Amino acid sequence: MRASASAAAVLLMAAACNEAPNGTQVVADSTRTDTTTNPGTPSQVLADRSPTPGSIRGVVRAETWASGLVNPWGIEILPDGRALVTERPGRLRIVAVNGQLSAPVTGVPAVYAEGQGGLLDVALDPGFASNGLIYLSFAESGTGGAGTSVARGRLVGNALQDVQVIYRQTPKLNGGGHYGSRLVFARDGKLFVTQGDRMNWRDYAQDLARGQGKVMRINPDGTVPSDNPFTGQSSARPEIWSYGHRNVQAAALHPTTGQLWTVEHGARGGDELNHPERGKNYGWPVITYGVDYSGARIGEGTAKEGMEQPVYYWDPVIAPSGMTFYNADAIPGWKGSVIIGSLTPGALVRLELTNGRVTKEERYLGELGERIRDVTVGPDGFIYVVTDSGSGRVLRIRPVIG
């Protein structure tokens, strides 16, 4: 569902994008169950589906903070109000408070910038104010192909120093798709690394011996926490936190519960909102709400015993990338919302949660026609997004009034 999908797949997805009225309210239906795919097994409550609301105008507006970026992918606001922005071809930039771009930061690891690969996410160490450490996820080539890796280094001026690769997805595989990846620090200081199934290798998402299609949990130095669910199992990667994921390009920590939430790409339909829990299996490619780009069925259906249901799913897709929990006051009525970037059809998606379920979905900024790749909140309470194109921008999102 990224830019490298075939033209035919893009047309199929676009044809499916019929929009419901603006501001459609989602009413959770807890009575829908699935027993058809696995007769004789306990029925499961199916996930709630997005009503595909149209884009709302007149509530928020976008203004350009920085421009001249090439396929920006991740953004992280620094404590002094500047921002770090990754460019997928392999550059890290610093955006000054006035929007001026720095020269590329030196010391960034070499990346595999082919297909969907390249320099991906950026995150600050929880102790950044004192240690200056930042973390980068990226596609890295090596024996067998390429895979998702994570490096950390100390930001000094316009340079990264003492750079170390602390995690490498194994095995490395051929193909240019589905690297993930987002980086999220938990409250206990552990680092979540979201990944993809590498597209042509989707069955590996169910194989605990392989790194594809997993959310990983590591210590900041790359070592494995002793309380990870599969630590000590010789047949499993010890970094695994959860598995059965397709391509997770959006992740954030809930500001109240501290729980990890993610949004992952489905195929043709089936984008999913999840909160990955310790050791659980999220089903891909055995269960899914999507079908293949050809229209062919994937897996066994939408539910199976021992596999988790998503909290919510989109069909047609939003092609999700980047998310945050909005915990500020600058945009009235949005506090507590989940904010997600959409690549296709392109929008800012806002969800309201009640008791862990989506009760409302709204969409904004569809009129811009931009692929929103990442989303964050600045110290001013406004939302900042990056737009994924060869003429990429950082946009500041603020209320129309105020």
Side-chain angles (χ1 to χ4, degrees):
M1 288 185 295
R2 297 269 302 279
S4 64
S6 69
V10 173
L11 289 173
L12 284 168
M13 290 187 290
C17 291
N18 297 318
E19 294 187 343
N22 289 353
T24 299
Q25 185 79 22
V26 176
V27 179
D29 179 0
S30 61
T31 64
R32 297 180 302 119
T33 60
D34 186 329
T35 58
T36 59
T37 58
N38 298 282
T41 63
S43 62
Q44 291 188 5
V45 176
L46 297 184
D48 295 315
R49 177 179 176 174
S50 166
T52 317
S55 184
I56 300 171
R57 295 176 181 241
V59 176
V60 292
R61 58 188 173 92
E63 58 188 27
T64 300
W65 183 36
S67 59
L69 294 156
V70 178
N71 298 111
W73 215 96
I75 180 170
E76 186 82 357
I77 305 294
L78 293 167
D80 61 7
R82 297 178 301 158
L84 295 174
V85 177
T86 61
E87 294 178 290
R88 194 173 56 77
R91 294 179 293 273
L92 176 66
R93 305 275 193 173
I94 300 174
V95 181
V97 174
N98 66 2
Q100 183 175 353
L101 294 183
S102 73
V105 173
T106 61
V108 173
V111 308
Y112 179 73
E114 300 291 336
Q116 298 174 2
L119 185 58
L120 305 174
D121 205 17
V122 56
L124 303 184
D125 188 274
F128 175 81
S130 59
N131 63 28
L133 290 174
I134 71 166
Y135 295 72
L136 299 169
S137 65
F138 60 102
E140 182 184 40
S141 63
T143 302
T148 303
S149 295
V150 178
R152 74 172 182 176
R154 198 176 314 278
L155 184 65
V156 179
N158 207 54
L160 278 186
Q161 299 180 359
D162 305 320
V163 176
Q164 297 175 305
V165 177
I166 62 168
Y167 169 77
R168 287 184 167 99
Q169 183 187 64
T170 57
K172 286 183 167 57
L173 300 168
N174 291 323
H178 295 189
Y179 293 92
S181 158
R182 294 294 172 188
L183 303 173
V184 178
F185 276 97
R187 289 178 177 174
D188 62 3
K190 304 298 190 287
L191 177 62
F192 289 112
V193 182
T194 76
Q195 303 175 115
D197 64 0
R198 295 293 282 107
M199 198 168 190
N200 297 326
W201 308 87
R202 63 191 184 193
D203 289 343
Y204 286 1
Q206 291 293 317
D207 185 347
L208 294 177
R210 303 174 190 270
Q212 287 73 29
K214 315 296 192 300
V215 173
M216 301 304 205
R217 177 178 180 257
I218 59 176
N219 291 316
D221 63 357
T223 57
V224 177
S226 60
D227 59 346
N228 269 8
F230 302 104
T231 299
Q233 295 188 24
S234 59
S235 60
R237 298 295 311 171
E239 305 96 335
I240 294 173
W241 176 254
S242 61
Y243 63 107
H245 300 285
R246 185 173 182 268
N247 192 25
V248 184
Q249 292 187 340
L253 214 64
H254 193 288
T256 302
T257 67
Q259 187 176 42
L260 177 70
W261 286 70
T262 63
V263 190
E264 67 184 79
H265 292 268
R268 183 179 162 198
D271 292 349
E272 294 183 0
L273 173 70
N274 289 300
H275 49 78
E277 297 181 7
R278 184 181 188 275
K280 292 188 176 180
N281 181 354
Y282 288 82
W284 176 258
V286 180
I287 61 171
T288 177
Y289 285 91
V291 297
D292 229 328
Y293 294 122
S294 66
R297 178 175 172 170
I298 299 171
E300 301 177 15
T302 57
K304 185 173 183 177
E305 187 175 12
M307 296 182 176
E308 302 300 310
Q309 285 287 302
V311 173
Y312 189 73
Y313 75 98
W314 287 266
D315 184 11
V317 300
I318 58 168
S321 189
M323 69 181 291
T324 190
F325 284 88
Y326 186 75
N327 203 31
D329 299 303
I331 304 179
W334 284 28
K335 192 167 188 176
S337 300
V338 182
I339 309 297
I340 304 164
S342 165
L343 299 170
T344 303
L348 200 64
V349 178
R350 186 177 80 88
L351 304 179
E352 293 183 7
L353 298 178
T354 303
N355 298 324
R357 302 188 74 176
V358 176
T359 54
K360 189 175 186 179
E361 176 184 347
E362 293 177 339
R363 301 184 188 183
Y364 300 88
L365 305 179
E367 67 275 11
L368 298 181
E370 293 276 13
R371 292 164 49 85
I372 296 180
R373 174 59 76 180
D374 198 14
V375 183
T376 193
V377 180
D380 53 10
F382 299 134
I383 293 171
Y384 291 78
V385 307
V386 294
T387 64
D388 185 0
S389 76
S391 301
R393 297 182 289 165
V394 181
L395 303 179
R396 181 189 290 116
I397 313 303
R398 59 197 312 162
V400 168
I401 301 175

